[in-house]
Amino acid sequence: MRFPSIEWFAAVKAAADGRVDEFKTLGFCDATVRVVVQTSSGDEDFVLFFEDYGCRDVVVGDDTSAEDFTIAADLEVWRSMLESIREEGTPSLGLSLASLQLPGKLELRARSQEHEDLFFRYNQSFQEFFNSSRDVATEFAAPSQEGTSG
Amino acid sequence: MRGNKGTCRATHSRTLEALRNDGRYRTATVSMVTDSTPLDGVRSRVVLQDEVTKKQLQYLEKSAKEAGWPMAEVEKFLPHYSPQQIKKAMRTLSLEEAQRLLGETIERNAAGYTEEQARYIDKLNRGQYDLRWLDDERPTWGVRASPSKRGLTLMDINRAYAGTPEDVAPHNSMGPRGAELEAGAPEMGYSLNHKYEVWADNVTELYEEAISRQWSATRDIPWDDLKPLPEDLERAQCEFCTFLTEIEMVASDFPAKWLWRVNQHFHEVKMFLCTQALDEARHLEVFRKRALVNGGGLLHATAKIEQGLTDIMFAPTFVQGSYMMHIVGEGLVLDIFRAGEFLAQNKVEQKIYRLCMQDEARHVSYGTKHMKHYLEEHPDRAEAEAQLHRAAEIGEETFASFLLNPYIVEPLAVLAGGGIKHIDRGMEAVKIVWKYAHEEYLKRCDAAGFDRRDRVKFLPEAPY
């Protein structure tokens, strides 16, 4: 499955759906998250609708999406996190969403601080969503198309 | 409804019995100064002091004379109320009111039952039931709240009935919002009776979220995975955990201090503050555990840090303390926890900081929305803003004192740099924390409609 693509996000959502009991222990999570992957050929963005105990839907992002916040990073940053998840089940130190955000490798944008704070309030749920990618065979788009994992 | 300053006595009646049976505590008293209504502390039937001294009796005689109460009436109250309680009753009630309100507890038969209780016992013994409750008003009869996908939430039941609190609590009792309250309920002494003083538009959702996202410092942290760290890193982590163990509980103590003063009409606020108190207890627990689990232990607690905590604890109003705690203090701690995940030396610490970060963000969210509601609904906006500016000036000084304290800054820098040799590199991360904390603090003020940008007391960039 190519990352980034809507098929990849749908596959991760399906994997996360299979862990619903684990997500329930994390508690409910209501947030609309725009994920931007910056590639050599431009930005690709996707919108993830988190609701209740999981991700309700994933769609390709467009201008009409009313996201609570956006997380944006270069493809290589996403790749580092996802490969690390693939190898260890969870991201290595420094490669979690929150760890990447502090030094600015992952940019967090929101229309207000209240919306931005949702990133912190539900962080474990978002991280577990991406951790579900360990069960999804992933290949990466340009600029590093030779690299694959899974 | 604000009462006079007064003194109230309270403990549990069963404890009282134990205390009475123990000579050591025979004359023990418990008292605290608090905002109170006239009856607060008078109607409490718990008396820890069961011997009246000659001096107290003389004082009561003098007070009775001044109040115009016959001493014979005062003596009727004495077996049941403390001299202080009776004195307070003489100050705040007429004799007739006192007889009506306090007398019920005095007029008992030989078996210890009131007249009403004795009549009911007699009725039951004759096989008769009261059944008055079947004829009572039934304002909610037929109401059926519908559970949502995640279960039956407070939002679901609030949609069904009595979900919106009134601007001013209709009474000062524990009668549930929306229930029929019979006359004669005692005053509970609440001092926060206006919605704007405590409410936040997201407080109901935050309570549900808090309950839903609880975690256990015993069960959910993979303690067994923790490996020994180099001494400088272990020491830095333990110093940092000592600091966090020291400060976290203030965010339990502060809501607990104000909790009983919040009118139960706003039960969602009380419930949320309960979750916050538990969250912070867990934070103390997890950082204390981290300090003691890997060979380092608790290190140096600094007195200066606690100055900021006293500002919160002794804030004169709830909203001012809430501002200093939820907006300034927890906003900064949220940034520190977020940095904590970045600074973690292993996945155990990473998980600790991430889970604490979630809790802290919830508390900050309440504070932000509470501030917004307070400013929008306060009858005097200028006065409301003035109160918050006063709190901000103190709180912002505390902020600076935290990030200019070597016992906080340097352990952070050692952890961020990966060791004492790289402390300079680690200072870059501390500067990022300062910058984020400054920016986000002001953005939260913006979100609440509170302009601090021209007055803020700490710099946008770290002065080092």
Side-chain angles (χ1 to χ4, degrees), chain A residues 26-28 30 51-52 88 90-91 93 96 101-102 113-114 116-117 120-125, chain B residues 149-150 206 209 212-213 338 341-342 345 347 350 354 358 361 365 369 432 436 440 443-444:
Chain A
L26 300 180
F28 57 72
D30 292 312
E51 196 175 285
D52 298 326
E88 300 177 34
T90 57
L93 293 178
S96 66
Q101 189 269 332
L102 187 84
Q113 190 59 42
E114 285 172 276
E116 190 172 320
D117 283 346
F120 306 113
R121 261 164 71 186
Y122 303 133
N123 197 270
Q124 180 77 9
S125 301
Chain B
K149 275 194 289 179
R150 63 182 61 154
L206 286 176
E209 185 178 310
S212 162
R213 299 187 78 85
R338 164 216 238 158
E341 183 167 342
F342 176 73
Q345 304 300 310
K347 290 188 179 181
Q350 194 174 43
R354 186 183 307 152
Q358 294 189 144
S365 182
K369 286 284 195 183
I432 292 173
Y436 274 131
E440 293 177 359
K443 279 158 73 179
R444 288 187 189 104

Side-chain angles (χ1 to χ4, degrees), chain B residues 4-275:
Chain B
N4 301 321
K5 289 276 179 191
T7 301
C8 86
R9 295 156 168 278
T11 186
H12 195 284
S13 56
R14 274 176 296 189
T15 312
L16 169 69
E17 206 50 46
L19 292 175
R20 278 184 164 157
N21 291 334
D22 185 338
R24 287 175 304 164
Y25 294 100
R26 201 166 172 77
T27 57
T29 60
V30 174
S31 65
M32 58 185 170
V33 175
T34 177
D35 286 340
S36 60
T37 59
L39 279 179
D40 183 33
V42 175
R43 293 218 63 185
S44 167
R45 291 189 287 171
V46 177
V47 185
L48 286 179
Q49 184 172 338
D50 56 0
E51 284 183 344
V52 180
T53 64
K54 195 176 171 188
K55 196 174 170 188
Q56 285 172 323
L57 206 57
Q58 284 170 347
Y59 193 77
L60 278 176
E61 280 170 348
K62 188 176 165 222
S63 302
K65 203 171 174 183
E66 285 168 7
W69 287 23
M71 197 54 200
E73 293 298 318
V74 173
E75 282 170 7
K76 283 186 193 171
F77 293 122
L78 263 178
H80 307 279
Y81 298 95
S82 72
Q84 285 83 356
Q85 287 172 313
I86 297 168
K87 228 172 67 185
K88 184 167 184 186
M90 285 193 281
R91 280 204 315 269
T92 56
L93 303 172
S94 69
L95 178 60
E96 292 71 28
E97 283 173 327
Q99 284 168 330
R100 179 169 54 82
L101 291 166
L102 310 182
E104 183 197 324
T105 59
I106 295 170
E107 302 299 332
R108 291 172 185 274
N109 64 17
Y113 300 116
T114 65
E115 198 179 321
E116 188 183 3
Q117 287 168 340
R119 273 201 308 273
Y120 185 53
I121 291 167
D122 186 46
K123 230 171 148 178
L124 288 174
N125 286 335
R126 282 186 278 119
Q128 295 172 357
Y129 293 94
D130 183 78
L131 299 181
R132 262 179 306 177
W133 56 274
L134 278 173
D135 296 326
D136 283 348
E137 293 287 327
R138 296 176 296 175
T140 61
W141 199 251
V143 170
R144 283 191 177 81
S146 302
S148 54
K149 275 194 289 179
R150 63 182 61 154
L152 184 63
T153 65
L154 283 183
M155 292 79 82
D156 298 328
I157 63 165
N158 279 354
R159 271 192 292 276
Y161 182 74
T164 307
E166 294 175 38
D167 290 341
V168 183
H171 51 74
N172 208 285
S173 86
M174 285 187 169
R177 190 169 76 220
E180 291 293 310
L181 177 65
E182 68 178 22
E187 294 274 327
M188 295 308 298
Y190 300 133
S191 58
L192 296 169
N193 297 302
H194 291 85
K195 188 176 173 184
Y196 72 83
E197 294 174 300
V198 294
W199 193 254
D201 285 341
N202 59 353
V203 71
T204 311
E205 287 80 359
L206 286 176
Y207 169 77
E208 285 284 353
E209 185 178 310
I211 293 301
S212 162
R213 299 187 78 85
Q214 289 296 299
W215 52 278
S216 161
T218 300
R219 184 195 58 211
D220 296 328
I221 305 298
W223 295 109
D224 289 341
D225 295 348
L226 204 56
K227 301 286 187 297
L229 289 175
E231 190 177 327
D232 53 347
L233 288 171
E234 180 64 24
R235 192 156 181 157
Q237 189 65 260
C238 286
E239 185 55 58
F240 192 43
C241 285
T242 302
F243 156 67
L244 292 170
T245 303
E246 184 178 16
I247 66 165
E248 283 293 300
M249 203 66 185
V250 75
S252 289
D253 286 344
F254 174 81
K257 173 187 169 179
W258 288 94
L259 192 55
W260 72 269
R261 303 179 194 203
V262 178
N263 193 298
Q264 192 153 310
H265 188 67
F266 312 113
H267 59 255
E268 292 93 340
V269 174
K270 294 171 87 89
M271 292 161 77
F272 173 74
L273 293 177
C274 288
T275 67

Side-chain angles (χ1 to χ4, degrees), chain A residues 31-103:
Chain A
T32 303
V33 182
R34 185 188 289 262
V35 176
V36 176
V37 183
Q38 294 152 345
T39 71
S40 55
S41 53
D43 290 356
E44 293 197 42
D45 67 291
F46 307 89
V47 178
L48 282 55
F49 298 90
F50 287 90
E51 196 175 285
D52 298 326
Y53 300 108
C55 183
R56 174 174 57 78
D57 200 9
V58 292
V59 299
V60 173
D62 60 33
D63 293 341
T64 62
S65 306
E67 70 277 3
D68 289 300
F69 62 84
T70 297
I71 43 178
D74 187 83
L75 174 64
E76 288 306 303
V77 173
W78 287 110
R79 179 178 175 149
S80 304
M81 182 180 81
L82 296 173
E83 286 184 340
S84 156
I85 289 169
R86 179 72 186 172
E87 283 168 24
E88 300 177 34
T90 57
S92 305
L93 293 178
L95 291 176
S96 66
L97 293 170
S99 303
L100 289 167
Q101 189 269 332
L102 187 84

Side-chain angles (χ1 to χ4, degrees), chain B residues 239 242-243 245-246 298-306 405 407:
Chain B
E239 185 55 58
T242 302
F243 156 67
T245 303
E246 184 178 16
L298 290 159
L299 299 177
H300 184 97
T302 72
K304 278 189 180 161
I305 285 170
E306 296 197 24
N405 186 318
Y407 283 89

